[in-house]
C-alpha cells in the first residue's frame, strides 16, 4: 500500500496481510526506507531507525542526550502516525557510536525517556556501532510497537 492519506488526514485502512508504509510529514523525507510499517490493524508497527534529524534532514544536537531526545521524538512521531502511542512500544534497539558516553549520560537519558514516554520501558538493547548512516549522528533508535 502507499503512504497516501485519506481526506481528513487519517491513514487509509490496512487490509489483512498488507503493509502500510507510514511517513509523517513532520519528519525528513525518507530515502530508501519508511519511517514506520504497520501491519493489519491491531498488530505490529515496525519503526525504522531514527536519528536526531530535523525536518530538513540535518542532525541537531551536539551531545548524546540532545540527540537521543530528538531521535526518540522522531520515533514517537513515526509511531503516532502509524496509530501507536508511547505505551504501545514493545521493543527498542538503541545504536550508539560511543557506548561509554551513552552510559555516562544514562541518568539524563532516563529523564528524557520518562518525560517523553513515561515510567515503563519496553524490551531494550543498546548496541555499539562504529558509525551510523549520517556521520554526525551519535545515536539511532529503532523499534516495534503493538497497536491495541
Amino acid at each position: 500500500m502507499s503512504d497516501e492519506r485519506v481526506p481528513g488526514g487519517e491513514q487509509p485502512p490496512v487490509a489483512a496481510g498488507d503493509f502500510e508504509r507510514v511517513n509523517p510529514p513532520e519528519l525528513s523525507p525518507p530515502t530508501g526506507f519508511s519511517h514506520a510499517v504497520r501491519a493489519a490493524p491491531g498488530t505490529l508497527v515496525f519503526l525504522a531507525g531514527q536519528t536526531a534529524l530535523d525536518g530538513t534532514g540535518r542532525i541537531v544536537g551536539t551531545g548524546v542526550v540532545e540527540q537521543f531526545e530528538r531521535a526518540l521524538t522522531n520515533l514517537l512521531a513515526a509511531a503516532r502516525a502509524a496509530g501507536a502511542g508511547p505505551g504501545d512500544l514493545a521493543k527498542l534497539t538503541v545504536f550508539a557510536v560511543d557506548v561509554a558516553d551513552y552510559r555516562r549520560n544514562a541518568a539524563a537519558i532516563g529523564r528524557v525517556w520518562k518525560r517523553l514516554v513515561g515510567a515503563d520501558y519496553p524490551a531494550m538493547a543498546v548496541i555499539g556501532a562504529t558509525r551510523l548512516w549520517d556521520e554526525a549522528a551519535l545515536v539511532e533508535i529503532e523499534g516495534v510497537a503493538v497497536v491495541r
Side-chain angles (χ1 to χ4, degrees):
M1 293 184 80
S2 72
D3 61 350
E4 293 179 35
R5 296 187 181 266
V6 296
E10 297 177 20
Q11 294 288 334
V14 179
D18 285 343
F19 293 112
E20 175 188 2
R21 274 67 175 160
V22 181
N23 295 298
E26 67 267 26
L27 298 182
S28 66
T31 304
F33 70 98
S34 293
H35 286 290
V37 176
R38 185 172 71 169
T43 59
L44 302 176
V45 176
F46 299 92
L47 300 162
Q50 298 293 325
T51 60
L53 289 176
D54 66 10
T56 66
R58 292 182 333 199
I59 294 290
V60 295
T62 57
V64 68
V65 177
E66 292 171 287
Q67 287 200 16
F68 179 88
E69 181 169 357
R70 182 56 187 242
L72 182 58
T73 298
N74 290 347
L75 184 94
L76 293 171
R80 188 172 42 257
D88 298 322
L89 295 173
K91 182 185 183 321
L92 294 181
T93 304
V94 178
F95 299 93
V97 297
D98 186 342
V99 175
D101 185 41
Y102 187 93
R103 287 179 60 119
R104 277 191 301 276
N105 288 284
I109 289 168
R111 287 189 294 275
V112 168
W113 177 271
K114 287 178 181 170
R115 183 167 38 81
L116 296 178
V117 179
D120 293 326
Y121 290 90
M124 293 180 73
V126 176
I127 309 288
T130 303
R131 68 163 287 230
L132 300 171
W133 181 262
D134 189 311
E135 292 182 28
L138 302 175
V139 65
E140 183 168 336
I141 309 169
E142 70 174 17
V144 177
V146 178
V147 179
R148 302 172 227 188

